[in-house]
């Protein structure tokens, strides 16, 4: 199966890469073993579900499997499983492996370099990095982890500068091997607001580094947030590999109560029709990733994929 991300031909609404995220899949199997050590047949069962709901692309999100840490023979096995399911890999997403983590930052920086090299080796054109860190105990107990306080990046110029330098290092590496980086917007990190994300990306100042405009990470917060339209207007010129998800959001102006819950892409508070048009006007040409928390996230993601294709038909005609 041809992969449009490997071609200079114009993308259409029908072949634009729209990948399935694997966030709904645990990296620990029922017997306590790791997906990392699972048999190829076991991987194939999971990957078959992605193909069964109509996806032609998959992102081997590293909360499920770290393909950058597979031995070459095992990576070949995994890629064979993906090919046998008629899927391609346009991008690789990382999660909760911040290069400025106080304890593991150096380890995660080295890992991020391996992700870039792996992406280049398998023909993936984008990677997603971010500064989100491990969930705290209260977040792990909550039904929705974003309703409990999590890690906060320090208000420290030295740490900001360290983050900029490390992402710049990764950006240069990515440029050398033909890969783009999307920096994931996420609350209370150096990419936690549209203004901060733009400022950070501007400080890095490399064409290979842009913003993963995951506005869903912000509109789901049970606190005041900037309107999604204003955020998108700011980040659209920098938009790269895009994690797309949406949320219902209700705000009670009399009490200050905010309540959110995951929503299919077309029903939530963000108008992706408008957001995609904004990005397209600024030359957005990168893959999408469909995510959804709760319930049958894979099936909802498949519905979201078709919604994006409908929007693309309108935008590209």
């Amino acid at each position: 199966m041809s992969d449009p991300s490997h071609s200079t031909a114009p993308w259409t609404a029908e072949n634009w890469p729209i990948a399935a995220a694997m966030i709904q899949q645990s990296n620990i199997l029922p017997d306590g073993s790791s997906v990392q050590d699972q048999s190829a047949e076991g991987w194939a069962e999971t990957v078959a579900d992605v193909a069964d709901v109509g996806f032609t692309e998959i992102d081997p999100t590293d909360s499920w499997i770290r393909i950058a840490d597979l031995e070459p023979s095992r990576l070949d096995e995994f890629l064979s499983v993906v090919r046998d399911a008629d899927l391609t890999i346009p991008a690789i997403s990382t999660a909760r492996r911040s290069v400025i983590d106080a304890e593991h930052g150096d380890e995660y920086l080295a890992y991020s370099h391996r992700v870039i090299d792996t992406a280049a080796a398998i023909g993936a054109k984008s990677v997603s990095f971010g500064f989100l860190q491990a969930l705290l105990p209260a977040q792990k107990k909550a039904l929705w982890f974003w309703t409990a306080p999590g890690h906060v990046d320090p208000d420290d110029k030295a740490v900001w500068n360290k983050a900029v330098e490390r992402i710049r290092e990764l950006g240069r590496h990515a440029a050398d091997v033909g890969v783009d980086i999307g920096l994931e917007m996420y609350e209370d990190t150096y990419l936690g607001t549209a203004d901060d994300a733009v400022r950070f990306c501007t400080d890095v100042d490399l064409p290979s580094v842009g913003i993963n405009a995951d506005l869903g990470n912000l509109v789901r917060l049970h606190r005041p947030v900037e309107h999604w339209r204003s955020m998108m207007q700011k980040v659209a010129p920098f938009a790269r590999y895009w994690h797309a998800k949406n949320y219902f959001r209700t705000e009670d102006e009399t009490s200050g109560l905010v309540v959110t819950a995951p929503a299919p892409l077309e029903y939530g508070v963000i108008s992706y029709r408008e957001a995609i048009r904004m990005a397209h006007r600024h030359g957005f040409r990168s893959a999408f990733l469909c995510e959804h928390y709760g319930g049958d996230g894979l099936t909802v993601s498949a519905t979201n994929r078709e919604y994006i294709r409908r929007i693309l038909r309108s935008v590209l005609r």
Side-chain angles (χ1 to χ4, degrees), residues 14-279:
E14 309 313 319
N15 71 6
W16 199 293
I18 304 176
M22 301 302 287
I23 57 174
Q24 67 279 351
Q25 296 294 331
S26 173
N27 61 357
I28 301 299
L29 299 170
D31 65 2
S33 63
S34 171
V35 169
Q36 204 74 10
D37 302 319
Q38 193 175 17
S39 68
E41 291 77 14
W43 290 339
E45 289 182 13
T46 302
V47 169
D49 286 342
V50 175
D52 285 347
V53 295
F55 278 99
T56 51
E57 291 85 24
I58 185 173
D59 178 335
T61 318
D62 72 359
S63 57
W64 172 54
I65 187 170
R66 303 183 316 280
I67 66 168
D69 284 343
L70 292 173
E71 293 295 327
S73 62
R74 291 284 282 159
L75 178 58
D76 287 344
E77 281 187 281
F78 182 81
L79 295 177
S80 178
V81 165
V82 171
R83 284 193 300 269
D84 288 348
D86 287 330
L87 296 168
T88 60
I89 301 175
I92 302 171
S93 291
T94 69
R96 307 195 182 280
R97 289 175 171 83
S98 170
V99 297
I100 54 170
D101 182 289
E103 183 177 354
H104 301 291
D106 292 348
E107 171 191 342
Y108 293 157
L109 177 62
Y111 169 74
S112 297
H113 280 291
R114 295 197 300 275
V115 170
I116 291 170
D117 282 333
T118 302
I122 69 174
K125 295 302 183 183
S126 299
V127 296
S128 175
F129 297 135
F131 297 125
L132 51 164
Q133 297 198 20
L135 294 174
L136 298 180
Q139 293 179 295
K140 292 178 181 179
K141 291 180 181 178
L143 173 61
W144 304 123
F145 62 84
W146 56 86
T147 61
H151 166 81
V152 179
D153 279 343
D155 183 12
D156 184 326
K157 185 62 174 176
V159 182
W160 172 281
N161 289 341
K162 180 179 181 179
V164 168
E165 285 303 317
R166 290 194 161 190
I167 295 299
R168 188 178 290 143
E169 175 185 329
L170 293 170
R172 288 173 177 149
H173 179 187
D176 286 344
V177 296
V179 171
D180 283 341
I181 292 173
L183 298 174
E184 183 178 1
M185 300 177 72
Y186 194 90
E187 77 267 15
D188 299 325
T189 72
Y190 293 148
L191 307 164
T193 68
D195 288 328
D196 281 348
V198 169
R199 182 163 69 96
F200 188 90
C201 196
T202 302
D203 280 2
V204 173
D205 193 24
L206 288 175
S208 58
V209 178
I211 296 171
N212 170 357
D214 193 344
L215 304 186
N217 284 342
L218 304 182
V219 303
R220 69 190 180 188
L221 299 176
H222 287 200
R223 64 172 95 157
V225 296
E226 183 177 4
H227 193 280
W228 71 265
R229 184 178 294 108
S230 173
M231 288 194 284
M232 193 66 209
Q233 287 168 343
K234 294 171 182 177
V235 303
F238 301 87
R240 296 291 169 83
Y241 184 44
W242 191 347
H243 290 184
K245 58 180 176 285
N246 215 343
Y247 291 82
F248 298 112
R249 180 179 175 93
T250 297
E251 300 179 5
D252 185 338
E253 292 297 329
T254 60
S255 66
L257 178 69
V258 178
V259 177
T260 68
L265 215 58
E266 59 194 296
Y267 298 135
V269 70
I270 301 167
S271 169
Y272 273 88
R273 183 174 301 276
E274 187 175 347
I276 290 172
R277 286 186 182 277
M278 284 187 205

Side-chain angles (χ1 to χ4, degrees), residues 18-19 50 53-57 265 290 300-310:
I18 304 176
V50 175
V53 295
F55 278 99
T56 51
E57 291 85 24
L265 215 58
C290 289
V300 177
S301 291
T303 300
N304 293 344
R305 179 197 68 234
E306 294 310 303
Y307 171 63
I308 291 173
R309 293 211 187 279
R310 293 202 304 273

